[in-house]
Amino acid sequence: MDMKRFSLALAAGLSAFGVIAGVASAQILELGQTASTPVATPACPANTSLANCRIVLTRTTAVQTETNGVVNPTRVTKDGFIVAFTVGLSKLVSDPKTELGLLKGLDAKYGGPPQLVLSVLKPGPKNKYTVVAQSATFHVLPFLGSVLQEPLSLPPTFTSMTGLPVKKGEVVGLTVLTWAPVLTYNLTPNKYSYRQSRKANCLNAAATQTGQTTLNSSQQYLCDYTGTRVQYSVTEVVNQPYPKTYVGGPTAPPKK
């Protein structure tokens, strides 16, 4: 896929949200990646067969807890809005016939083509997270094999805002409704880790939907995976003052 095309789409989306017009008063933060560890497309480790390759994440919500030694890389440090996201999606295989059969098998097993939702989560005690906001669903099948940069699509309840509202201390997770090839593993164990929204049978793919799909729901994240990175990041805009133009027309900033 053409990264320039995605960058232009992202810029257009931010303009629609009123961010570009107010850029002089806006701070843009990228949560989930560093300059030395940008989001990348996952690949099976060398000499690993496709049957033994564990790059596909299924039916769960994932929170990256450490990236290249940075703890809680998607933690919000300033109130603002999530306006876009970036995700690395593996091609899986290069042969079209093999790919078609593989895609059909994954769709049948996990309930459809790859679908993603961004989830804003409030951390609690004992690794419990509560959903405070979610994006619309993204269908990402056409973008396998690329690093996708996408302006955020929002549910109707958020049409008067620039994006998903976030507050200091919250984290942003990636909810996989079906399946998505977004995992890079065999990384340095004490520098990379993530958690899934489930607490049992952690060594096997979820047999049912374990992702957090309901606002205000709370769940423990007790499945902890070291040496692995979920390839996603989010773009946050911190505005002081808030932009004057929002999707749906002028409106006052949300009350604190």
Side-chain angles (χ1 to χ4, degrees), residues 85 114-118 135-140 150-154:
F85 76 100
Q115 300 171 41
L116 305 176
V117 172
L118 291 185
S135 73
T137 300
F138 292 89
H139 296 262
V140 296
E150 186 75 8
L152 211 59
S153 297
L154 300 174

Side-chain angles (χ1 to χ4, degrees), residues 231-254:
Q231 295 284 2
Y232 75 103
S233 67
V234 296
T235 305
E236 181 192 1
V237 173
V238 180
N239 291 13
Q240 292 296 334
Y242 288 93
K244 294 181 179 180
T245 302
Y246 292 76
V247 174
T251 184

Side-chain angles (χ1 to χ4, degrees), residues 32-72:
Q33 67 178 7
T34 67
S36 60
T37 57
V39 170
T41 56
C44 296
N47 302 317
T48 300
S49 67
L50 188 60
N52 294 320
C53 184
R54 302 190 302 274
I55 62 176
V56 175
L57 185 63
T58 62
R59 295 188 292 200
T60 195
T61 299
V63 172
Q64 193 69 27
T65 52
E66 188 171 10
T67 297
N68 197 29
V70 177
V71 177
N72 293 324

Side-chain angles (χ1 to χ4, degrees), residues 17-29 78-81 83 162 236-246 253 256:
F17 282 127
V19 171
I20 301 243
V23 71
S25 60
Q27 180 183 10
I28 299 177
L29 305 175
K78 297 180 180 180
D79 294 358
F81 296 94
V83 297
T162 58
E236 181 192 1
V237 173
V238 180
N239 291 13
Q240 292 296 334
Y242 288 93
K244 294 181 179 180
T245 302
Y246 292 76
K256 298 251 182 170

Side-chain angles (χ1 to χ4, degrees), residues 68-250:
N68 197 29
V70 177
V71 177
N72 293 324
T74 67
R75 177 187 287 164
V76 177
T77 58
K78 297 180 180 180
D79 294 358
F81 296 94
I82 302 301
V83 297
F85 76 100
T86 302
V87 61
L89 298 158
S90 174
K91 180 65 174 173
L92 296 176
V93 292
S94 57
D95 178 65
K97 289 185 178 179
T98 304
E99 180 187 34
L100 181 60
L102 182 61
L103 294 178
K104 286 183 176 180
L106 289 167
D107 290 354
K109 187 172 184 178
Y110 297 113
Q115 300 171 41
L116 305 176
V117 172
L118 291 185
S119 298
V120 180
L121 307 168
K122 182 178 180 180
K126 299 182 179 180
N127 293 306
K128 181 178 284 188
Y129 292 83
T130 301
V131 180
V132 295
Q134 288 189 306
S135 73
T137 300
F138 292 89
H139 296 262
V140 296
L141 179 63
F143 307 105
L144 297 187
S146 70
V147 174
L148 171 65
Q149 294 177 294
E150 186 75 8
L152 211 59
S153 297
L154 300 174
T157 51
F158 289 109
T159 54
S160 63
M161 297 185 179
T162 58
L164 285 179
V166 290
K167 294 183 178 180
K168 182 179 179 180
E170 294 171 347
V171 298
V172 184
L174 187 70
T175 296
V176 178
L177 299 178
T178 51
W179 63 274
V182 293
L183 299 177
T184 298
Y185 65 103
N186 279 2
L187 300 171
T188 307
N190 63 351
K191 287 189 175 183
Y192 291 88
S193 62
Y194 85 99
R195 288 181 177 271
Q196 289 186 17
S197 57
R198 54 194 185 117
K199 53 186 179 182
N201 198 27
C202 298
L203 296 181
N204 299 301
T208 57
Q209 179 59 256
T210 64
Q212 289 189 271
T213 59
T214 306
L215 286 176
N216 301 317
S217 65
S218 297
Q219 211 156 307
Q220 280 188 297
Y221 285 55
L222 299 186
C223 287
D224 187 17
Y225 303 88
T226 59
T228 305
R229 179 181 182 183
V230 186
Q231 295 284 2
Y232 75 103
S233 67
V234 296
T235 305
E236 181 192 1
V237 173
V238 180
N239 291 13
Q240 292 296 334
Y242 288 93
K244 294 181 179 180
T245 302
Y246 292 76
V247 174

